[in-house]
């Protein structure tokens, strides 16, 4: 984790987090989520945490679209976050309670758009110091 | 062949004369009745629309997707049904419809970042599924986050293709007027026997 100027937004120094993760998922396991009315699944991994500045922060780190007919088994290892994990401030340093959750948006051929959060999550504690070298 | 053509034209002319004949034969009372009927239909439609606005809490509960920035989930011409309940929190992953301050076009994108304070004040960032970058380039000059007030509603349901009619009417205004004229003529001239 580093303290870097957030070049995608306001020009102040904010914490930038680096997370690597593995995802193993078998979407068809229990019952088929891909029924006749499901066009695609929008999967996303979000990090949720609290800081001094903000009571609730949620940042989407990674997402993937799974279309009907795609391979329903995911076996991703050592994935890096797709998007920059910038905090609004310096709240990542020493934050012990950053929770990663996998959720998905079911997109039907027509009808309701449910948003489902996977049960089970992973807690990722952030170190107390900044990294000065690029370890990515 | 020529005789059939003439007979066809005569039949068409007779139908048109019938229509006008009908119109002239209508006495004043019947005409008022037709107009009132028409007004009723228009008022009912308006009431249903306003009712939807109240029930959903959104100023525009039904919107048409105008761009391909959310493909393959939504395509241009799809219809979206929105709600905008005040107590509904905005969370990452939700699909929101928002308007950039000063612009009238609603944009349908996904929330990818939220920072919410204890008192409920929230600022969030959006991005279209099909776009490479987030929406900061779409926001107002100097604006880096969206707030609750920019939100028109949250997408709760959708119907494909149905909104194409609105897009066609927008791109070809003649079609819109023709459609309105036909509908108006039908309602005004329809007689309950």
């Amino acid at each position: 984790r580093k303290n870097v100027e957030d070049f995608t937004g306001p020009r102040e120094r904010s914490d930038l987090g680096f997370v690597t993760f593995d995802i193993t998922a078998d979407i068809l396991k229990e019952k088929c989520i891909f029924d006749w009315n499901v066009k695609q699944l929008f999967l996303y991994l979000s990090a949720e945490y609290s800081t001094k500045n903000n009571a609730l922060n949620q940042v989407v780190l990674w997402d993937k679209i799974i279309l009907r007919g795609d391979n329903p088994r995911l076996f991703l290892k050592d994935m890096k976050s797709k998007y920059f994990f910038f905090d609004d401030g310096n709240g990542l340093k020493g934050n012990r309670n950053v929770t990663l959750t996998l959720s998905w948006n079911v997109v039907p051929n027509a009808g309701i758009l449910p948003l489902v959060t996977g049960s089970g999550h992973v807690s990722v504690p952030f170190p107390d110091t900044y990294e000065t070298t690029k370890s990515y | 062949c020529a005789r059939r053509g003439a007979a066809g034209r005569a039949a068409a002319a007779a139908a048109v004369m019938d229509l006008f004949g009908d119109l002239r034969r209508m006495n004043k009372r019947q005409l008022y009745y037709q107009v009132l009927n028409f007004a009723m239909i228009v008022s009912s439609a308006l009431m249903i629309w306003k009712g939807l606005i109240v029930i959903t809490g959104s100023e525009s509960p039904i919107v048409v997707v105008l761009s391909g920035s959310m493909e393959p989930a939504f395509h241009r011409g799809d219809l979206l049904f929105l709600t905008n309940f005040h107590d509904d929190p905005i969370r990452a992953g939700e699909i929101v419809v928002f308007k950039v301050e000063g612009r009238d076009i609603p944009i349908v994108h996904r929330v990818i970042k939220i920072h919410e304070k204890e008192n409920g004040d929230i600022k969030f960032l959006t991005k279209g599924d099909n776009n490479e970058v987030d929406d900061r380039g779409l926001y107002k000059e100097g604006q880096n986050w969206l707030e609750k007030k920019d939100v028109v509603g949250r997408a709760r349901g959708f119907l494909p293709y149905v909104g194409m009619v609105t897009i066609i009417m927008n791109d070809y205004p003649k079609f819109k007027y023709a459609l309105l004229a036909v509908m108006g003529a039908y309602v005004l001239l329809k007689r309950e026997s």
Side-chain angles (χ1 to χ4, degrees):
Chain A
R1 196 230 36 245
K2 296 191 188 151
N3 187 265
V4 174
E5 196 176 302
D6 181 354
F7 47 83
T8 63
R11 274 172 171 352
E12 293 136 13
R13 298 189 84 82
S14 324
D15 284 356
L16 174 64
F18 291 94
V19 179
T20 52
F21 53 92
D22 304 335
I23 296 185
T24 315
D26 191 348
I27 303 177
L28 290 182
K29 197 156 171 217
E30 284 302 299
K31 56 177 182 154
C32 190
I33 195 175
F34 272 103
D35 64 23
W36 60 275
N37 193 22
V38 174
K39 186 161 76 172
Q40 77 175 59
L41 286 186
F42 186 91
L43 233 71
Y44 57 99
L45 183 75
S46 54
E48 184 172 317
Y49 59 98
S50 265
T51 63
K52 205 164 35 102
N53 269 355
N54 295 296
L56 176 66
N57 303 275
Q58 287 181 336
V59 180
V60 171
L61 299 181
W62 168 94
D63 55 41
K64 183 173 173 58
I65 294 179
I66 302 183
L67 295 171
R68 187 131 168 236
D70 280 357
N71 184 4
R73 284 185 183 78
L74 291 180
F75 200 65
L76 309 160
K77 280 202 135 321
D78 277 341
M79 302 288 297
K80 301 197 175 50
S81 63
K82 215 181 192 187
Y83 306 112
F84 286 109
F85 187 177
F86 269 114
D87 180 37
D88 177 35
N90 301 317
L92 287 179
K93 179 175 174 188
N95 198 321
R96 291 277 172 260
N97 217 350
V98 177
T99 318
L100 298 182
T101 332
L102 193 66
S103 316
W104 55 93
N105 194 192
V106 180
V107 182
N109 281 314
I112 312 240
L113 291 156
L115 205 67
V116 185
T117 305
S119 56
H121 44 226
V122 176
S123 229
V124 175
F126 269 81
D128 290 330
T129 55
Y130 292 123
E131 304 237 334
T132 47
T133 52
K134 193 174 169 136
S135 56
Y136 225 24
Chain B
C1 204
R3 232 204 277 152
R4 240 187 280 143
R9 264 176 282 135
V16 175
M17 287 311 291
D18 262 351
L19 206 63
F20 282 121
D22 264 353
L23 202 59
R24 264 181 286 134
R25 258 177 281 134
M26 266 200 264
N27 58 30
K28 260 194 185 167
R29 218 160 136 259
Q30 238 164 347
L31 189 62
Y32 287 151
Y33 183 81
Q34 293 295 102
V35 173
L36 274 177
N37 223 4
F38 181 70
M40 269 268 285
I41 295 179
V42 173
S43 317
S44 307
L46 243 116
M47 286 203 305
I48 294 177
W49 180 244
K50 290 291 177 188
L52 261 183
I53 293 182
V54 169
I55 298 175
T56 62
S58 166
E59 70 183 47
S60 181
I62 304 183
V63 293
V64 178
V65 177
L66 296 171
S67 75
S69 54
M70 280 297 279
E71 286 183 19
F74 307 137
H75 298 85
R76 203 171 119 89
D78 291 344
L79 209 67
L80 285 176
F81 298 92
L82 317 177
T83 61
N84 197 22
F85 301 126
H86 186 258
D87 296 329
D88 237 344
I90 297 179
R91 294 288 172 255
E94 291 192 336
I95 302 175
V96 295
V97 178
F98 61 91
K99 280 202 194 148
V100 178
E101 222 177 305
R103 270 182 247 153
D104 237 348
I105 313 172
I107 304 179
V108 186
H109 282 171
R110 198 179 292 272
V111 174
I112 58 169
K113 262 195 193 184
I114 66 160
H115 295 291
E116 185 177 69
K117 299 223 182 280
E118 221 171 87
N119 63 2
D121 281 349
I122 187 169
K123 59 186 186 189
F124 59 97
L125 181 63
T126 57
K127 175 183 162 299
D129 288 350
N130 207 18
N131 292 346
E132 282 298 313
V133 298
D134 60 40
D135 289 347
R136 286 223 165 99
L138 288 174
Y139 299 165
K140 209 169 64 155
E141 176 84 42
Q143 181 187 11
N144 287 304
W145 303 95
L146 284 178
E147 289 163 30
K148 244 192 184 154
K149 65 174 175 60
D150 300 311
V151 173
V152 173
R154 235 141 309 176
R156 294 288 182 220
F158 108 107
L159 279 178
Y161 314 122
V162 177
M164 260 312 196
V165 180
T166 317
I167 294 186
I168 296 178
M169 290 212 290
N170 239 347
D171 289 345
Y172 304 106
K174 288 211 183 101
F175 178 78
K176 175 165 66 175
Y177 298 136
L179 196 67
L180 282 174
V182 166
M183 289 193 336
Y186 174 74
V187 176
L188 278 175
L189 298 174
K190 177 177 92 142
R191 297 236 274 145
E192 302 180 23
S193 41

